[in-house]
Amino acid sequence: MTVTIHLQLYSILREKLPPDARGRADLALHDGATLTELLERLDIRRNNIVISVNDTHEPDRSRVLADGDHIRVFSAVGGG
Amino acid sequence: MPYGYHGKILHVNLTTGEFRVDEHDEAFYRKYGGGSALGMYYLLNETSAGVDPLGPENVLALCLSVLTGTAISGQSRMTAVARSPLTGAIGDSQTGGYWPAELKFAGFDGVIVTGRSPKPVYLWIQDGEYELRDASHLWGMITGDAEASIRDELGDDKIEVLQIGPAGEKGVRFAAIMNMSNRANGRTGMGAVMGSKNLKAIAVRGKNRPEVADKSALNELAKWGVSSLPDSGIVGLAKYGTAETTGVNHTMGTLPTFNYNSGVFEDWEAIDGTTMYDTILRGAAEGKQDRQGRDTCYACTVRCKRVVEITDGPYKIDPHYGGPEYETTSTFGNYCGINDLAAIAAANQICNQYGMDTISCGATISWAYEAWAEGKLTAEDTDGLDLSWGNAESMVKLTEKIARREGFGNTLAEGSQRASGIVGRGTEEYLITSKGQEAPAHMPQVKKSLALIYAVNPYGADHQSSEHDPAVGGDWEDNIERMGMIGVTESVPEEALDEEKVRYTLATEWMYSAMDSLNLCQFVYGPAWQLYGPDEMVQTVRAVTGWDDVTMDELQIIGERRLNMLRAFNSREGLDRSSDTLPRKFFKNALKGGVSDGYKLDQDEFEAALTSYYSQSGWDVETGMPSRAKLEELGLGWVADQLHA
Ligand code: SF4
C-alpha cells in the first residue's frame, strides 16, 4: 500500500528537486510514512525549516502522512 | 596612519555655504566606530533642545564607519541621523549600495549638513575636493532622471548619487534618501530633512581607497564568506530575496494582514519571494534571473537585491528602480489584503522614483483601508478612490498621490498618526505606530521580544534593532556558539517576555547597535543565522583597523554607547517612559485566523518587561532616562552634562 502526497518546496529547498519541477512533486510513500521519512528521502537536513500539512503548521515530525496530503516545506531563516 | 578610515568628516553649512573639515584621532574612531554613533556625536553637540526637524538648525549626519569601502561583504553602508519629522524623536536609518564606499573613496568618513540653502543645490565631492552646485534644474525630477542629469553634467557615469526625490522636496514625513535610485535610507523621514535644507543630492567619486591594516587576513575572511554562503542561513535570502520569508510567516501566523488584524494571508503565495523569482525578476522568462534579476552592494558576494522588469500589463516596471523587499510586499500586499505582485512592484517603483519609505507608506495606506472598512472614510474623503481591502489599483494611485501630496495623499503624506488626527472619527484605533512610526512586518503579538523593541527603540517601531525570538527559541541549537560570544548562554521560550527574554533582547540589541555604528549589513553579520557571526565581526575590525586587541565586549560597548546617545537625545526632547508604547490594538484586538488566532499582548507583562529593560540598561525605571553613572561609564560624561545639568 502506498499513499500519494502533494509536495511543494520553497526558496532554496526547491533545489532538492529537478529545476523543471519548480519545487512541486507528487510523491508515493509507503503507508504510515512520517514527515521525518519524507525529509530524509528529500535529503533535507537543515534544522530551521517550517512545514505545513494542508495549510496548517505542523511542528511534529513524527506526523503520519495521509493520502492526498498537501505538504509545504519552507526554509525558515532569513531577514526582512 | 589610519587604517580603514580617513579621519576626515566634511561639514557644510548650507545657509552660508561654508565648509569645514573636522579631523578626529584614532581614539575617537575607536570609541564611536562610525555610522549612527558618529552621527549622534554631531547631533548631540550641534543641536539644542527643541530643534525643529524641518528647520535649518536640524543637523543631518550621513556617516560611514571605519570599515566602509573595504573588500568584504556587508560593509558598504551609510547611516543617516537627524531629528525626525515623522516621530519628533531621533531619526536613524541605514542604506546599502555603492554610494557609501564611493564617499569613502572620495576622501571622507561622513558628511554633516546644517542650515538651509537659499536655493536648491547639490554637493559634489571628488578626491577630497568639494563644491556646492546649483540644483534648480534638478528640483522636481524623479530619482532616475536626476541621477542621469548629474552624471551627464559632471561627465562621469561612474559617479554615485545620493539624493531625495520629489517626496523629500515636498516634505512627505516619511520621505527617504535614495541612492542608485533603488536603495534607501528609508525610515524616519530623513529625506524630508534633506529636502528642508534645499539639498537635492550629494554626488561622489574618488580614488582614495582606504588602507587596510592586514590585507591577507581580510582576504581570508572574504574568501571564507564566499565559500560558506551555500551552507549558510542566508543562502535562500540571497537567491530568492527577503520575500522568501512570506510563506513561513503565513504558516507561523506572523504575516501582518489587514492592517495587523490577522497573522495569515490566504493569498500569500501570489506575492512570495519564490513566486517573484519565477515571474517578475528580470530574465525570469528565459531562466536568466540569477544573472539579470539580482543586484548587490559594493563588494558583497550575497547579491540579495531584487531587479524587477515588467513590460506588459497595467504596471510597467523599469529595472533601474530595483524590486520589492519582504517589508514592501507586506505593507503594500498583505497589510492591504492585496495579492497583485505587479501592483506591489509598481508601488515600490513610485517610492523609489519619488523617494519614500515603503514601510511607512504602505502601512499608512493600510491604516486608511481599515478606516474605510470600518466606515470611517468614504469616497468623499479619498478623492473617489475605493479603499476596500484588496483593491490594488487604489493602492497604487494613493501611493502616487502621497508622493505628490495631492488631495487625500496630502493627508497621508503626514504619516498615519498625524492623518488620524486630521481625519478624527476614532481612526486612531487603527494605528499600528510606535512613536509615530508605522510597524514593520514582524508581529510582536507572536515574536514577543519585538513588543519590547518596537516600544523602546529610540526611533520608533523597528525590526532591525535586535535578533528576533526564534534564534533563542526553536533555532537555539544552531546558535549556541555565536550567542555565547555576546553573553547569551541559555535558550528562552519563544512565547516568553520575562527577565531572561529581556536580557537576550538587550544583548542582541547592543550587537545590532554596534553593527549600526560599524555600518554592517544585518544579513551578512549578526549573532545567529547570518553569514558572519560575532567572531568574524571582531576579526573584520582587527584586519581592517589593526586594533588587534579589540574584542566582542568592546564592540558591544560601542553598541550600548550608541543606544545611550540616541536615548539621551530623546530624553533631552522630553520623551520618557510614556513615549515607549505600542499601538492600542496590539493589546485590545485578538488576531484572527491561523496559528496565531486569538493572540494579543498583555499590558502587565509588557510593563514588567519595560521596567526590567530600563533596569538592565542602567536607566531610570520611572522615566527611562539614562543615568549620569551609566553615561559616564560609557565615556559619555559630556552627554550627562547636557542631560543632567
Ligand atoms: S546582503 Fe544584500 S543588502 Fe546586505 S550588503 Fe549584501 S547585497 Fe547589500
Side-chain angles (χ1 to χ4, degrees), chain B residues 210-540:
Chain B
E211 291 293 328
V212 167
D214 188 342
K215 260 191 196 158
S216 78
L218 191 67
N219 199 18
E220 281 307 308
L221 277 165
K223 279 207 291 211
W224 182 89
V226 173
S227 63
S228 303
L229 181 61
D231 296 317
S232 77
I234 59 167
V235 61
L237 174 155
K239 186 165 176 177
Y240 296 92
T242 48
E244 70 148 352
T245 55
T246 307
V248 181
N249 281 318
H250 162 80
T251 306
M252 301 303 286
T254 55
L255 187 67
T257 301
F258 304 128
N259 197 38
Y260 255 87
N261 287 318
S262 169
V264 291
F265 183 44
E266 231 171 71
D267 292 342
W268 65 270
E269 198 159 6
I271 61 171
D272 174 67
T274 305
T275 304
M276 197 190 307
Y277 180 90
D278 286 343
T279 56
I280 62 169
L281 280 202
R282 182 168 61 176
E286 304 88 47
K288 292 185 177 158
Q289 65 271 57
D290 264 327
R291 251 183 300 138
Q292 298 179 7
R294 291 168 60 187
D295 200 0
T296 192
C297 303
Y298 171 76
C300 185
T301 187
V302 181
R303 299 174 60 236
C304 77
K305 310 307 291 183
R306 305 291 92 183
V307 181
V308 166
E309 181 166 42
I310 303 178
T311 51
D312 294 325
Y315 305 112
K316 312 273 187 294
I317 306 297
D318 176 346
H320 189 66
Y321 295 102
E325 299 283 343
Y326 165 71
E327 298 302 326
T328 310
T329 58
S330 278
T331 55
F332 290 118
N334 29 282
Y335 278 42
C336 297
I338 286 168
N339 61 9
D340 183 337
L341 194 51
I344 292 167
N348 181 66
Q349 175 165 271
I350 294 166
C351 286
N352 288 348
Q353 288 173 325
Y354 286 81
M356 296 195 293
D357 175 29
T358 59
I359 300 179
S360 281
C361 187
T364 297
I365 291 173
S366 75
W367 164 83
Y369 273 49
E370 185 169 8
W372 175 281
E374 296 298 323
K376 303 291 168 76
L377 285 174
T378 66
E380 265 177 47
D381 303 298
T382 63
D383 312 324
L385 291 177
D386 171 353
L387 304 190
S388 300
W389 295 122
N391 190 324
E393 199 183 328
S394 293
M395 178 276 287
V396 175
K397 283 194 176 137
L398 212 42
T399 303
E400 196 152 1
K401 278 171 165 290
I402 293 170
R404 296 188 170 150
R405 274 193 175 272
E406 275 173 14
F408 187 52
N410 191 40
T411 303
L412 298 189
E414 293 293 297
S416 56
Q417 189 159 297
R418 281 186 177 79
S420 80
I422 295 165
V423 170
R425 304 171 205 163
T427 53
E428 72 275 9
E429 291 303 317
Y430 316 133
L431 290 174
I432 54 166
T433 50
S434 284
K435 294 190 181 67
Q437 173 154 271
E438 292 73 15
H442 304 263
M443 301 186 80
Q445 294 96 328
V446 185
K447 291 177 167 181
K448 290 287 196 63
S449 70
L450 291 181
L452 178 64
I453 288 293
Y454 282 13
V456 299
N457 189 52
Y459 44 96
D462 187 61
H463 61 297
Q464 291 191 283
S465 289
S466 62
E467 192 57 51
H468 299 184
D469 304 64
V472 77
D475 301 341
W476 174 246
E477 297 292 321
D478 291 335
N479 301 326
I480 293 175
E481 207 178 311
R482 287 181 170 185
M483 287 287 179
M485 280 197 71
I486 57 167
V488 179
T489 53
E490 305 224 3
S491 175
V492 189
E494 289 188 25
E495 62 284 3
L497 189 57
D498 55 8
E499 289 255 341
E500 274 313 304
K501 181 60 75 67
V502 173
R503 203 178 317 283
Y504 157 77
T505 305
L506 189 56
T508 66
E509 190 185 21
W510 286 341
M511 180 166 176
Y512 275 74
S513 181
M515 291 194 287
D516 284 347
S517 300
L518 295 167
N519 280 351
L520 290 172
C521 175
Q522 300 175 353
F523 303 145
V524 180
Y525 288 84
W529 45 269
Q530 296 82 357
L531 182 60
Y532 293 128
D535 190 32
E536 292 82 17
M537 185 163 148
V538 171
Q539 301 304 332
T540 304

